[in-house]
Amino acid sequence: MLRKLVFFAFLAVAAACMAGKRVVAAPQFAVSTNPNFVVEGVELGDTATLLHCALHLPAGFRYSIDAGSSLKVGAERLALRRAEGITPGRNVRMDTAKCSRFTLVFPPVAAVAETVDFIEGESEGDFQVFGISLAEGRKPHYEGMPESVRAAALSPADAGGGLPVPQWKYGKAIIRGRLYGYRPEMNTKINLFPGLAIDPRRDNLIETAVAPDGTFCIEVPMYATCQTVALRLNGIGCDVVVRQGGTCEVYADLVEGSHSVSPEDWAATGQGRLCGLNRLYFAGDMAGVNNRLADPAMRKLMDSCDFRMAKDNRPADGSLYSPQDYCAKVMQWHADNLKAADSICPSRSAREVMRAVQTYHTVYSLMWREGFVEADAEGRTLFDGCIFDAYRQLGINDMMMAYSGSFDTMANCFQYILNGDTAYFNKVSGIYRSASPTAVDSAMQAVRAFDREYRAGVFCWTDGPLFDLMLSVDFSERMNRQTPFADEQLKLLASQPNAAIRNYYLARNEELKAALAARKGNGTYTMHAAPAGSGDEALAAIAAEYAGRAVLVDFWGTWCLPCRSAIKRFEEGKARLMEQGVEFVYITDDKSPEDEWGNMASGIPGHHYRLTGAQTADLYERYKLSGWPSYLILDKDGECVYSRTGFRENEITNKLKSIIQ
């Protein structure tokens, strides 16, 4: 605080001593996208405008200020001239002071201007401060949230009853809302993770842009009549209960969020962007339970119920838990969290959601024991039947777990917990080893039959929603490999008693066959024969085909979910680059079955090659690539000017633009 007072005193003296200059210390503002970035003073002169800034971050965080930063005054943009104390465009690591101060210099602002906006860039997450007042002590005008919305949310109508038991049914709900104080330059995206348990291998991320007036609307696919979904608004996450056919309304006050958390607190806690947005407000369907869950105390408890994330739960240095001790500690942690939820939440419906969320985290902690539990001589984490007892006590084979928001991953927990059991693991491994490469689906059915019998012995369950979930995983995997069901799978599907799953996949199978037929010969993709020779020789032959053009080489696999997700997310940007002459080359290898490769490639515009494993290994070694997806960019001369593992859309786009401009 003393440092700040000295700084502002210096500004006041400078203002008195320098003719033609005016200083506004600690200017008020309307809304900011990052509470850790602060404009501590504005210096207005005839030749320049200076923004004295402070950035608060945890030690070790990297930061930068974009060289394209600007001030917006009305419709006019004033470009950054230079900076003092920081080099624009260069990454810097925050030191232990957790605060960096620097000055940004812009052209002079017109004398009649009352406010300015600082805009580092217009990508989501860039530093932006809107409505910076140029008059000492004057508050800028802004449109805040109506008090009627806030008041209704803070006094949620709640009849006190519990939530309905969800039933399997594919359908939809609507989530719509508004961000008050929103500016179009924020370019905020609303992310929804519906946890579509009926189709768990399908890309679960739904993203929608916020309209210029701050409104948004999302159609929510649902697998149950009621369930919880995860909603994220530019870094602010919240669990939302939705009901099929209903419309849930959610509102956020960006102005409130911009001023409710100090930058020092931000640096101390290391919270995500817009962490000051500490409250969401709900109306419409299911508003009562959602407003209870949005209470900051409830959200804090829900965010901290993972046993492994709490420092106090980590074993002492040099020692690990036995399986029995670990199970006991996790279950006690679970019981304590449930008591804490009961003590702060008077709503039965909200407690039911909390119980489901906490149960999921407990199950996940029981499954992932590495780093907490002793291992055997081969490094495998020790296993004990007490984990089966814990699963039974938690009651996870229940449709009420749809309120956890993570029922889609619960099947994985239920399935893979047995992998630590040597008898189970050896039997399943033997079934798969004995199966031919063309009989994977038959082997999977044999595993499912054994699995059901084995689980009946250790869990005392022979059916229920968890078994339905595991079945969905098998069908989902095949659909998302773009491979229609063969007669064997159709017979298995027809025999399933769960009508919601059966009808969903019969319909999806027909949709897939129609889509594949429509894509064949549409002219948007080309399948090429793989060039012979080493990896380098193959790439050189491919590059020669596109000489004189910029080329993006995308290494992907039909089995690789991150690869497929990146291709989908890049569709919009890719279309713009293709219009400018960029060629897109997709390379897979023999780990991708040929029929699956052909089906998937038909939905990906560009040029497709299927190399050998040896060829891709050569290229990965040559260009220091470490996984899938990976990318190369070739310039117009066929030279590689970019190589990276992992999808970075901005990096790829900027590099390609630098070649074609």
Side-chain angles (χ1 to χ4, degrees):
M1 180 59 72
L2 179 60
R3 185 176 179 182
K4 285 189 175 181
L5 292 175
V6 172
F7 172 73
F8 292 136
F10 167 76
L11 291 181
V13 172
C17 296
M18 294 182 290
K21 292 191 177 182
R22 178 166 57 92
V23 174
V24 182
Q28 299 201 43
F29 65 94
V31 64
S32 171
T33 57
N34 295 272
N36 53 322
F37 179 85
V38 182
V39 177
E40 294 188 325
V42 181
E43 191 173 329
L44 302 160
D46 296 334
T47 59
T49 301
L50 279 64
L51 258 62
H52 300 288
C53 308
L55 181 60
H56 300 260
L57 287 171
F61 271 45
R62 288 191 174 275
Y63 65 94
S64 66
I65 293 294
D66 196 278
S69 299
S70 64
L71 286 184
K72 185 179 179 184
V73 188
E76 183 182 12
R77 289 290 186 105
L78 305 177
L80 177 66
R81 284 179 174 173
R82 67 179 190 279
E84 300 169 3
I86 193 172
T87 302
R90 179 179 296 176
N91 278 322
V92 183
R93 188 183 295 274
M94 181 61 71
D95 60 22
T96 55
K98 301 182 181 180
C99 179
S100 173
R101 286 189 165 84
F102 47 86
T103 298
L104 306 178
V105 182
F106 300 89
V109 172
V112 296
E114 296 182 354
T115 63
V116 297
D117 301 330
F118 168 71
I119 301 175
E120 183 199 17
E122 296 192 8
S123 296
E124 189 173 24
D126 285 341
F127 298 128
Q128 300 170 345
V129 185
F130 297 93
I132 302 170
S133 179
L134 302 182
E136 196 80 41
R138 179 186 297 173
K139 286 187 176 182
H141 173 75
Y142 57 83
E143 181 186 8
M145 177 182 289
E147 282 306 311
S148 58
V149 174
R150 195 188 318 271
L154 293 177
S155 301
D158 193 332
L163 293 168
V165 177
Q167 304 298 317
W168 283 103
K169 181 182 179 183
Y170 183 68
K172 296 179 180 179
I174 298 293
I175 295 180
R176 68 184 182 194
R178 183 173 182 180
L179 309 182
Y180 287 95
Y182 183 77
R183 303 293 193 276
E185 293 86 354
M186 293 179 181
N187 282 319
T188 296
K189 300 291 192 300
I190 306 296
N191 292 329
L192 177 76
F193 302 88
L196 194 60
I198 203 169
D199 198 351
R201 291 292 187 262
R202 199 165 192 167
D203 189 350
N204 259 335
L205 172 63
I206 298 174
E207 186 176 81
T208 188
V210 175
D213 65 352
T215 59
F216 62 89
C217 185
I218 307 175
E219 189 175 70
V220 184
M222 299 177 62
Y223 65 89
T225 50
C226 288
Q227 68 182 87
T228 295
V229 298
L231 187 70
R232 183 166 292 273
L233 298 85
N234 198 10
I236 301 304
C238 190
D239 290 311
V240 181
V241 180
V242 289
R243 176 165 43 195
Q244 284 189 20
T247 297
C248 173
E249 301 173 19
V250 55
Y251 303 99
D253 191 338
L254 303 188
V255 177
E256 175 192 52
S258 297
H259 295 84
S260 61
V261 174
S262 72
E264 291 84 1
D265 287 344
W266 196 100
T269 60
Q271 297 297 312
R273 294 188 187 278
L274 279 179
C275 69
L277 185 60
N278 55 10
R279 185 71 195 240
L280 299 176
Y281 303 89
F282 290 87
D285 194 41
M286 310 302 283
V289 63
N290 285 321
N291 279 313
R292 296 290 190 190
L293 295 171
D295 181 271
M298 291 287 286
R299 286 179 60 191
K300 182 178 180 181
L301 183 58
M302 292 175 77
D303 289 341
S304 62
C305 57
D306 189 328
F307 177 88
R308 299 163 307 149
M309 297 302 293
K311 292 181 179 179
D312 292 344
N313 291 333
R314 299 199 66 84
D317 293 341
S319 64
L320 293 172
Y321 297 124
S322 69
Q324 297 84 357
D325 286 344
Y326 182 73
C327 282
K329 287 182 177 295
V330 170
M331 293 301 287
Q332 185 60 54
W333 171 263
H334 177 73
D336 291 343
N337 276 328
L338 292 181
K339 289 180 181 178
D342 290 346
S343 68
I344 64 174
C345 183
S347 163
R348 176 183 166 188
S349 59
R351 289 199 302 270
E352 288 175 336
V353 176
M354 284 288 299
R355 179 175 291 274
V357 170
Q358 290 175 336
T359 297
Y360 165 73
H361 282 292
T362 299
V363 166
Y364 208 72
S365 296
L366 289 169
M367 182 178 71
W368 293 109
R369 306 177 304 283
E370 289 81 357
F372 286 82
V373 175
E374 299 167 352
D376 61 19
E378 297 178 354
R380 292 180 57 183
T381 304
L382 294 179
F383 185 86
D384 187 87
C386 62
I387 295 180
F388 297 150
D389 295 334
Y391 268 49
R392 287 195 297 270
Q393 293 173 36
L394 290 169
I396 60 176
N397 194 19
D398 190 322
M399 280 301 291
M400 287 298 285
M401 289 303 298
Y403 290 116
S404 70
S406 301
F407 207 26
D408 55 327
T409 58
M410 189 67 75
N412 289 337
C413 296
F414 185 52
Q415 181 174 352
Y416 292 115
I417 192 65
L418 285 177
N419 285 348
D421 187 333
T422 302
Y424 175 89
F425 181 82
N426 290 340
K427 176 66 174 180
V428 170
S429 298
I431 293 174
Y432 280 122
R433 280 196 304 269
S434 63
S436 68
T438 59
V440 174
D441 290 308
S442 296
M444 189 174 294
Q445 290 183 43
V447 167
R448 282 285 172 262
F450 164 72
D451 188 276
R452 187 176 295 273
E453 179 183 354
Y454 197 88
R455 288 177 192 277
V458 297
F459 292 117
C460 304
W461 299 326
T462 58
D463 56 16
L466 283 179
F467 291 91
D468 293 337
L469 273 170
M470 292 170 61
L471 182 69
S472 291
V473 170
D474 298 340
F475 291 131
S476 180
E477 183 61 41
R478 188 172 181 91
M479 285 289 96
N480 286 285
R481 297 197 313 256
Q482 300 280 290
T483 306
F485 294 138
D487 290 342
E488 187 178 15
Q489 288 85 45
L490 288 173
K491 289 179 181 178
L492 177 63
L493 185 60
S495 68
Q496 299 309 310
N498 187 316
I501 293 176
R502 182 175 67 247
N503 294 335
Y504 173 86
Y505 280 105
L506 288 172
R508 190 167 178 213
N509 189 55
E510 293 304 311
E511 291 170 2
L512 175 59
K513 290 193 295 185
L516 291 173
R519 291 193 319 228
K520 297 295 185 183
N522 63 11
T524 63
Y525 69 100
T526 305
M527 311 296 286
H528 297 268
S534 67
D536 278 346
E537 291 169 335
L539 184 62
I542 291 171
E545 292 289 327
Y546 313 105
R549 285 161 282 179
V551 180
L552 175 67
V553 179
D554 182 335
F555 291 91
W556 73 295
T558 60
W559 44 268
C560 172
L561 184 58
C563 302
R564 304 197 308 252
S565 178
I567 290 170
K568 180 180 178 181
R569 281 161 37 211
F570 199 23
E571 285 178 350
E572 186 176 334
K574 170 183 170 179
R576 291 193 295 266
L577 290 166
M578 291 182 75
E579 291 174 357
Q580 300 174 62
V582 175
E583 296 287 354
F584 284 77
V585 170
Y586 294 90
I587 293 178
T588 190
D589 64 13
D590 47 22
K591 290 191 294 294
S592 295
E594 193 164 6
D595 58 340
E596 292 180 9
W597 171 61
N599 288 339
M600 288 191 184
S602 68
I604 306 172
H607 301 273
H608 294 267
Y609 299 82
R610 185 170 179 266
L611 304 184
T612 66
Q615 287 174 321
T616 57
D618 287 347
L619 292 172
Y620 267 53
E621 182 177 359
R622 165 73 183 278
Y623 294 103
K624 304 296 187 291
L625 305 175
S626 58
W628 303 71
S630 287
Y631 303 88
L632 303 178
I633 293 178
L634 310 181
D635 66 15
K636 295 179 180 180
D637 296 323
E639 296 297 321
C640 181
V641 294
Y642 175 93
S643 63
R644 183 175 187 124
T645 294
F647 180 61
R648 301 289 188 277
E649 182 172 356
N650 288 341
E651 285 184 9
I652 291 172
T653 300
N654 291 338
K655 191 63 179 180
L656 288 169
K657 285 182 176 179
S658 72
I659 296 173
I660 61 181
Q661 287 175 348

